[in-house]
Amino acid sequence: MTREDARALDRADPLAPFRDRFALPEGLIYLDGNSLGVLPRAVIPALADTVQRQWGERLIRSWNEGWIDAPQRLGAKIAPLIGAAADEVIVGDTTSTHLFKALVAALRHDPARRTIVSEAGNFPTDLHIAEGAVACVAGTALKVVDRADLAAALDDDTAVLLLTHVHYKTAERFDLADWTARAHAAGALILWDFSHSVGAVPIDVTAAGADMAVGCTYKYLNGGPGAPAFLYVARRLHDALANPVSGWMGHAEPFAFTDAYRPAAGMKRWLVGTPSILAMASLEAALDLWRDIDLTQIAAKSAALFAILAEAGAAAGLPCVSPTDPARRGSHISFRHDHAYEVTQALIARGVIGDFRAPDVLRLGLTPLYLSHEDVWRAGEHLRDVIATEAWRNAAYAERNAVT
Amino acid sequence: MTREDARALDRADPLAPFRDRFALPEGLIYLDGNSLGVLPRAVIPALADTVQRQWGERLIRSWNEGWIDAPQRLGAKIAPLIGAAADEVIVGDTTSTHLFKALVAALRHDPARRTIVSEAGNFPTDLHIAEGAVACVAGTALKVVDRADLAAALDDDTAVLLLTHVHYKTAERFDLADWTARAHAAGALILWDFSHSVGAVPIDVTAAGADMAVGCTYKYLNGGPGAPAFLYVARRLHDALANPVSGWMGHAEPFAFTDAYRPAAGMKRWLVGTPSILAMASLEAALDLWRDIDLTQIAAKSAALFAILAEAGAAAGLPCVSPTDPARRGSHISFRHDHAYEVTQALIARGVIGDFRAPDVLRLGLTPLYLSHEDVWRAGEHLRDVIATEAWRNAAYAERNAVT
């Protein structure tokens, strides 16, 4: 792969026009959009309108002029990205809070089933929240097993199988339909975490028959730092599952101001408190970009970008820990290196932003909406050079925090 | 009280200069700042910087340049408003979610105590969430009693007394120290909801010896629609209470990516998921206004504004349901009227925005930071006229939703 090859791919890229819709910083090759997506230009005027006109001028009246329905309206905009119906998705709260609500609800669904099954090394908050959920339903437990032992762990005590669709570190992807069917065959519900897959790979919860899902909107969906997360519940379960964090926004009549809680119909019952309208406005502008996007083009370009970095990594002698089959991975590529932290820092010093994941992984995100093939080719050249020259030995130490 | 009297009060008002720090819409008398506070002008550049520079240019690096500490930093800015130490308050999530976390933690604190006691007619989400909390701790129950029966309801089974400091409808205020002492005398914890009092009346949790508190930041603190709420836990309880919604942001080492949850020290353990940084940025700019404000001046002006509307309401023959003693109320005034909804609409048609609270209350918020005495005097004149001419009989019907 030469620079000219990469440029040729860019000329033929049907997604290339989307790059201008993002405010990409000069001189940076940003391979961390799987952690925090880039600013869509449309967010700037949308937020200005929300702050200055809707809040500043319309004030409380704005609740009746679009704010109160934002969780459902944004849910409907996410729905096509996961193959759900418009009324099966709602936005608000964090991924962690949605996980908590969904897991407690799943544990209460069939009192004969007492166990959450999940994967060791899953994204930490999924396991942390699962610990918290079982503590809220007497007699339940969390069973965390290695990926190879997941199938055997499912039995007639399993209430819910909690899986993250694409692994945050390795990019390994579970087969959605296959694992949904396995959970159902065991009589269990399945709860998917799409944080590292939504907007990165095609998803069809309806075809898979999935029960519940959560997902992050500040990665591939570019909703902004800490943007509100989404929750999907299949319509057949809407009446059967109840939100344990029974706040007034999920009440059937929040403005009747009654003492007793009565859950709303449909997805509205999963709301808790008043969501941040500024966060919602940013996310909505980011989601509107996706109206015109074909997810199969996203997947195809992701595979092409991956191939460029896989070739560079191989040339540098770096072991790739991500699957070679595009159908079995998400949209990032991870390499193992004993000094992965220092390699990450050396790349950042050259304007190539990826991230380090403990203990030994360099992770590079591939976001087809705003990265060109040439960008990724140049990143690959830097990677080869950093390894070949051992430039990482001089990398300045910086803090390791980075919100995935 | 004449218009000239009101103008004289404005000339002598030490808070008058703050009015210019807010973007007040032309031609509106906004008496709903107790529901959604007005836009502070400083929010506009703060959000522009957060979006365009911090997110747009610095991207993921901003997590290490101020974002990660925002919950603690904003907590420290709220602390002086409630008499807490800087490290006893944290910001993030909604009031409802904070209530849930604090109530479940309180129910687990002493297994011999199994009951939450609260007040009938408390703000709905407090009671709804309390229902949800007891369902998460086996063998516990919620006891909701009339205000007159609260003292008698406290006994050696009481785990926590949940009170809203200022009542959202009537503006009645509980004595903070007195009721904290009553809860403690019964051996119970107390959890205060300051949603309708923070920024409206002086609060001193340290002098009162209060255990826990939550509060809303989009009312008197002007943080923006759905701005993140705060949680206070007295330092003596920091190690004794644990967050049931055990998300990664409350982990001792969130970026160590370990499977097992280990709570952080101090208030950090109460965090759940990644908070909206845009919501935080707006709130922080709003909070910075309070550095220069003397809460005793707020209370004195609130009392003066109240007196103006109380006089107008009395002249109109409207029964006032708010306490006459300023020390026993918050910073709004409520009147009863059989057609309170229509009266509210008639006032709105004249540019006087208050709100209706079912079934028969007209509620008018008094926000000393940006209302002048003359504003409130003019609102009083409109109120008298609407009642005298029965203009409310012609009020157009609009939706009743309004987020308190």
Side-chain angles (χ1 to χ4, degrees), chain A residues 125 128 131 246 248 255 261 402, chain B residues 125 128 131 246 248 255 261 402:
Chain A
T125 211
H128 300 342
E131 272 191 55
S246 43
W248 71 313
F255 301 98
Y261 180 74
Chain B
T125 211
H128 301 341
E131 271 190 56
S246 42
W248 71 312
F255 301 98
Y261 181 74

Side-chain angles (χ1 to χ4, degrees), chain B residues 139-362:
Chain B
T140 63
L142 169 63
K143 194 195 288 186
V144 178
V145 301
D146 289 338
R147 184 167 292 212
D149 303 321
L150 277 171
L154 298 173
D155 60 27
D156 60 10
D157 193 55
T158 310
V160 57
L161 173 61
L162 166 64
L163 293 181
T164 295
H165 189 207
V166 166
H167 196 278
Y168 77 101
K169 204 185 288 189
T170 64
E172 288 170 287
R173 191 198 322 177
F174 281 106
D175 186 291
L176 195 71
D178 182 34
W179 282 93
T180 298
R182 288 184 199 217
H184 289 174
L189 297 170
I190 192 156
L191 169 56
W192 287 101
D193 184 340
F194 291 144
S195 291
H196 289 266
S197 55
V198 63
V201 303
I203 297 174
D204 193 334
V205 289
T206 303
D211 301 303
M212 292 184 285
V214 300
C216 175
T217 65
Y218 55 74
K219 300 176 184 295
Y220 295 94
L221 300 186
N222 312 300
F230 67 85
L231 173 69
Y232 154 82
V233 178
R235 196 184 289 120
R236 65 183 175 279
L237 293 165
H238 280 191
D239 294 336
L241 298 176
N243 179 359
V245 189
S246 42
W248 71 312
M249 283 288 158
H251 193 281
E253 292 184 277
F255 301 98
F257 297 107
T258 56
D259 284 0
Y261 181 74
R262 187 161 53 85
M267 290 304 292
K268 186 165 174 276
R269 67 176 54 185
W270 296 97
L271 296 177
V272 180
T274 309
S276 164
I277 294 300
L278 306 186
M280 288 286 201
S282 172
L283 174 57
E284 184 160 15
L287 289 175
D288 284 339
L289 277 176
W290 291 88
R291 274 184 313 217
D292 311 320
I293 292 169
D294 178 349
L295 280 165
T296 61
Q297 290 179 346
I298 294 280
K301 183 169 173 186
S302 168
L305 298 177
F306 187 100
I308 296 171
L309 280 187
E311 183 181 308
L318 286 174
C320 177
V321 299
S322 302
T324 51
D325 178 358
R328 293 179 180 275
R329 68 179 187 235
S331 196
H332 64 273
I333 184 167
S334 292
F335 297 104
R336 185 159 287 137
H337 191 284
D338 285 347
H339 298 275
Y341 177 71
E342 288 76 11
V343 172
T344 309
Q345 292 298 315
L347 286 169
I348 290 173
R350 291 162 176 239
V352 179
I353 299 192
D355 59 25
F356 164 74
R357 283 298 170 259
D360 58 2
V361 165
L362 163 68

